[in-house]
Amino acid sequence: MESASQDINLNSPNKGLGVSTMTDVPVDSTSARASAPEGLSPAEEEELRAELAKVEEEIGTLRQVLAAKERHCGELKRKLGLTPLDGLKQNLSKSWHDVQVSNAYVKTSEKLGEWNDKVTQSDLYLSASSTLEDWNEKLTQSEAYKKTQETLSQAGQKTSAALSNVGSVISRKLGDMRNSATFKSFEDRVGTIKSRMVGSRENSTDGLHSPSGPGDQPPQDNAPF
């Protein structure tokens, strides 16, 4: 019980020891006031404590307002049909935009641009580019490349000629078929059937308009008044 009756001294070099024995020790207001920093008068201490209480109260009020605003925001999103995935996309887009305008991203882009300039202007890069250009020129000027190009060109010309010949043959075959006796006989039969159908249709139309009896006379156009 001696440890319970002793005052708590925060400036003691042994303040980190014996924590388990002091967890159940009640601390009254007098001991709490004794732990206040030195150089503060009681009035200043009371003023600071009052300001602290006011700030904590404002923090609690702001938390309640924030919770109400978040609930209202969720209701608006639900009415608009916005899903959590849409919110995630918007947050990712905003985060990426923030990254792009950040100083670290800008500095990194500038560094990469400087490294690119240094690489493209280096002797090794220029030598490699020149070597590749030489290889390309030698390849395009080589006999094998020219022969391959000529072979492909000849193959394309032969293919075009073959297709043209096929079209000509088909056109000639169609012309021969139209001039053949079988096609002309078929064409004559179709014409005969067509003329018969037209004649029968005219006869049926005349029968409908002809008088039905001997007493019926056709109307006279020039009858006297």
Side-chain angles (χ1 to χ4, degrees), residues 14-86:
N14 299 324
K15 61 181 179 181
L17 302 177
V19 177
S20 60
T21 60
M22 295 193 304
T23 53
D24 298 329
V25 177
V27 179
D28 55 3
S29 60
T30 57
S31 61
R33 290 179 182 278
S35 62
E38 297 180 357
L40 289 177
S41 63
E44 292 175 346
E45 183 180 354
E46 288 295 334
E47 183 179 357
L48 291 177
R49 290 184 182 277
E51 186 176 358
L52 176 61
K54 183 179 179 181
V55 172
E56 289 178 347
E57 184 179 359
E58 290 176 353
I59 291 174
T61 303
L62 291 175
R63 286 176 179 172
Q64 294 176 1
V65 173
L66 179 61
K69 292 291 185 181
E70 288 179 348
R71 288 194 298 270
H72 185 57
C73 181
E75 292 176 358
L76 293 176
K77 288 182 179 180
R78 180 177 56 80
K79 291 179 180 179
L80 291 173
L82 298 177
T83 61
L85 182 59
D86 295 330

Side-chain angles (χ1 to χ4, degrees), residues 33-202:
R33 290 179 182 278
S35 62
E38 297 180 357
L40 289 177
S41 63
E44 292 175 346
E45 183 180 354
E46 288 295 334
E47 183 179 357
L48 291 177
R49 290 184 182 277
E51 186 176 358
L52 176 61
K54 183 179 179 181
V55 172
E56 289 178 347
E57 184 179 359
E58 290 176 353
I59 291 174
T61 303
L62 291 175
R63 286 176 179 172
Q64 294 176 1
V65 173
L66 179 61
K69 292 291 185 181
E70 288 179 348
R71 288 194 298 270
H72 185 57
C73 181
E75 292 176 358
L76 293 176
K77 288 182 179 180
R78 180 177 56 80
K79 291 179 180 179
L80 291 173
L82 298 177
T83 61
L85 182 59
D86 295 330
L88 179 61
K89 291 180 179 178
Q90 185 177 1
N91 292 334
L92 290 176
S93 178
K94 184 177 182 301
S95 299
W96 175 240
H97 179 266
D98 293 340
V99 168
Q100 287 180 327
V101 299
S102 63
N103 293 329
Y105 183 87
V106 173
K107 290 181 179 179
T108 303
S109 300
E110 292 177 354
K111 285 292 183 182
L112 291 176
E114 293 176 0
W115 291 346
N116 183 41
D117 293 338
K118 290 180 180 179
V119 168
T120 54
Q121 296 298 328
S122 63
D123 295 336
L124 179 61
Y125 181 86
L126 295 175
S127 176
S129 299
S130 178
T131 303
L132 290 175
E133 290 177 359
D134 293 340
W135 288 350
N136 183 37
E137 186 177 358
K138 290 179 181 179
L139 178 63
T140 54
Q141 296 298 327
S142 62
E143 294 295 331
Y145 181 85
K146 291 180 179 180
K147 289 182 179 180
T148 303
Q149 198 171 20
E150 291 176 358
T151 302
L152 292 176
S153 177
Q154 292 175 1
Q157 292 176 359
K158 290 180 180 179
T159 303
S160 300
L163 292 176
S164 178
N165 292 332
V166 169
S168 300
V169 170
I170 293 175
S171 299
R172 186 172 63 253
K173 290 292 184 182
L174 289 175
D176 296 342
M177 186 176 66
R178 286 182 62 87
N179 295 325
S180 63
T182 304
F183 186 83
K184 288 183 177 180
S185 176
F186 176 75
E187 196 173 28
D188 293 339
R189 290 180 182 179
V190 172
T192 303
I193 294 172
K194 182 179 180 181
S195 61
R196 288 180 180 178
M197 291 178 64
V198 173
S200 62
R201 185 180 300 173
E202 290 177 354

